[in-house]
Amino acid sequence: MSAEAAPAAPPESRHPLVAKILAADAPKPIRLTAARGALPLPAHDLLYIQICLLRDSDPEVAGEARATLDKQTSESLLSLFKDPACDPLVLDHFIRHGRVTGRSLEIAIAHPSTPDPALEHLAMGENAETLSLIVTNEVRVISNPRLLALLRDNPKLSPDNRRRLDELERDYVGRKYEKVREAPAPEPAAAPEPEEPLPEVPPEEDVPLDLPDIESIFEEDLRNTPAFQKIMKLNVSERLNLAMKGSAEERAILIRDTARMVAMQVLKSPKLGEQEVCSFANMRNVSEEVLRTIGSHREWTKKYAVAHALVRNPKTPPGISLPFLARLGTRDLKIIQGDKNVPEILRRQARNIFLARTQPPKKLLGKKSH
């Protein structure tokens, strides 16, 4: 069974596969692959799916979704927050979980789709700069009496911002709102996965589902998308041009193009984002040359999610993925050593590193003194 009490049905602007993946009868392998970010979907759709899957009734699916979301950085979220169509659920999740800082936080606070409860959550915090950013968003403060009261009752609010709130009340609100004597505690963030031995998973569920299998399930939906229909009518020259100038959804299709030069052109696109590269590294139906290029790109592989995806991908040449093993966390190493989809040499090395980290060092036995 998929997510319980999932949010309302996605709007028509979302990719048609989103509703299929979040449907009550969606197969577990589909949900697992989406939770890992291994589907060729736009970044905002993947994040929406993963946030919904945090409430999945299957602990493994929910855990994978949480692990993937936890790898998001403030920098990687910036371009999404700049999009006027950014989903309120995405904004709310990352604001409440403290995953947004700096410029990304500034954009999120000013975003018109940011839900009021998310701003109220921030208004109860102790960061003076964050409080200042909220006060600067005068339209939201004026329209939300509770937000104004929470800001005024926060002892960390600077005198300048407190004076500014008074001016807003005098000039726009027209009256003083009752103070919130005891601000309710913010909604608790989802607890992280405990660091304990992973439960044994049946072999048929432990093996990651190959992307071609997923696409065969939704083949009709994929072929009916406008992007796919458009690309089918293009020649190689036109696809090369689209690889450089097209949308994220079009790049996700072109990266699997049978013409290798088209797929490689996608990796040269100036519009290519970090989340897209991570998605490509997860794909099991791209050419080996694509994975080799990603694995040789120093900036891309600095990101943990990219390195981890390359190691988990059975199509990645072992010479590319082996050096990344030492960077992986203990939990990920435990999974890889039992993943029969990856080459044996990777499983052995993952086991060696895992044991070196988890087994206590052998004590040197000295001679007993008499």
Side-chain angles (χ1 to χ4, degrees):
M1 181 180 290
S2 58
E4 298 175 343
E12 293 181 1
S13 59
R14 290 203 181 94
H15 195 284
L17 292 187
V18 173
K20 297 278 186 180
I21 296 166
L22 295 179
D25 58 349
K28 178 179 176 179
I30 300 292
R31 302 190 333 264
L32 268 177
T33 309
R36 294 167 181 162
L39 289 178
L41 296 175
H44 60 274
D45 283 330
L46 273 175
L47 289 176
Y48 176 86
I49 292 169
Q50 289 158 359
I51 292 170
C52 292
L53 290 178
L54 288 174
R55 305 172 70 178
D56 198 280
S57 58
D58 190 300
E60 185 183 6
V61 174
E64 288 288 349
R66 181 171 295 112
T68 304
L69 288 168
D70 285 347
K71 292 171 186 174
Q72 293 293 329
T73 64
S74 195
E75 293 75 16
S76 67
L77 294 168
L78 179 58
S79 60
L80 291 174
F81 290 169
K82 287 181 177 179
D83 184 353
C86 186
D87 195 283
L89 182 72
V90 174
L91 290 158
D92 183 83
H93 172 82
F94 288 108
I95 287 175
R96 285 178 179 271
H97 287 72
R99 306 290 298 175
V100 190
T101 58
R103 178 63 176 161
S104 295
L105 180 60
E106 182 181 349
I107 296 295
I109 289 174
H111 201 291
S113 295
T114 297
D116 282 341
L119 292 179
E120 293 166 7
H121 172 83
L122 292 176
M124 291 184 282
E126 299 185 352
N127 189 291
E129 185 177 348
T130 299
L131 296 175
S132 182
L133 288 172
I134 301 174
V135 173
T136 304
N137 194 349
E138 296 179 351
V139 173
R140 299 296 293 274
V141 174
I142 293 170
S143 62
N144 186 347
R146 176 176 171 75
L147 178 61
L148 188 152
L150 288 170
L151 287 167
R152 191 192 326 103
D153 285 359
N154 192 323
K156 297 296 183 179
L157 192 69
S158 70
D160 286 342
N161 282 321
R162 199 171 296 281
R163 183 172 60 254
R164 189 168 185 174
L165 282 184
D166 289 339
E167 291 173 356
L168 287 176
E169 284 189 304
R170 183 186 67 242
D171 298 337
Y172 296 98
V173 180
R175 65 184 180 83
K176 297 283 186 182
Y177 292 98
E178 288 188 359
K179 288 187 175 183
V180 178
R181 294 182 180 178
E182 186 176 352
E187 185 176 320
E193 288 294 299
E195 290 293 334
E196 58 184 19
L198 298 175
E200 292 295 326
V201 182
E204 63 271 16
E205 294 183 354
D206 189 44
V207 177
L209 184 69
D210 284 346
L211 196 57
D213 294 335
I214 293 174
E215 292 184 355
S216 67
I217 294 174
F218 293 136
E219 183 175 0
E220 184 177 351
D221 300 277
L222 284 168
R223 293 183 179 278
N224 287 334
T225 58
F228 188 89
Q229 294 293 327
K230 171 184 174 181
I231 290 170
M232 285 294 291
K233 299 174 184 178
L234 303 180
N235 59 34
V236 173
S237 177
E238 291 168 331
R239 298 203 304 275
L240 283 169
N241 185 56
L242 188 63
M244 290 294 286
K245 301 178 180 179
S247 66
E249 183 178 359
E250 289 163 341
R251 288 192 291 276
I253 296 171
L254 291 170
I255 195 67
R256 298 168 290 158
D257 200 289
T258 52
R260 192 177 66 174
M261 66 177 70
V262 175
M264 297 304 293
Q265 189 81 338
V266 170
L267 298 179
K268 300 176 184 177
S269 172
K271 296 183 176 182
L272 189 62
E274 174 188 317
Q275 185 73 25
E276 291 177 81
V277 174
C278 184
S279 175
F280 298 162
N282 272 293
M283 291 183 181
R284 292 164 171 81
N285 61 344
V286 295
S287 72
E288 183 179 300
E289 188 63 26
V290 167
L291 297 173
R292 187 183 297 278
T293 301
I294 293 174
S296 302
H297 196 290
R298 189 171 299 177
E299 287 302 314
W300 292 341
T301 54
K302 282 181 181 178
K303 305 299 181 183
Y304 183 92
V306 174
H308 178 240
L310 289 170
V311 172
R312 288 291 301 270
N313 195 330
K315 285 198 69 175
T316 306
I320 293 294
S321 52
L322 269 173
F324 300 134
L325 277 175
R327 291 173 48 192
L328 298 189
T330 304
R331 181 179 183 275
D332 288 332
L333 287 171
K334 181 174 177 65
I335 294 172
I336 289 165
Q337 67 175 336
D339 187 347
K340 294 182 174 57
N341 261 15
V342 301
E344 173 65 23
I345 187 173
L346 279 179
R347 298 205 303 273
R348 286 203 309 266
Q349 184 64 7
R351 182 175 184 275
N352 292 339
I353 299 174
F354 177 81
L355 292 176
R357 291 183 186 176
T358 56
Q359 287 188 345
K362 295 180 179 179
K363 293 182 179 180
L364 294 176
L365 297 177
K367 291 183 179 181
K368 292 183 179 180
S369 56
H370 298 285

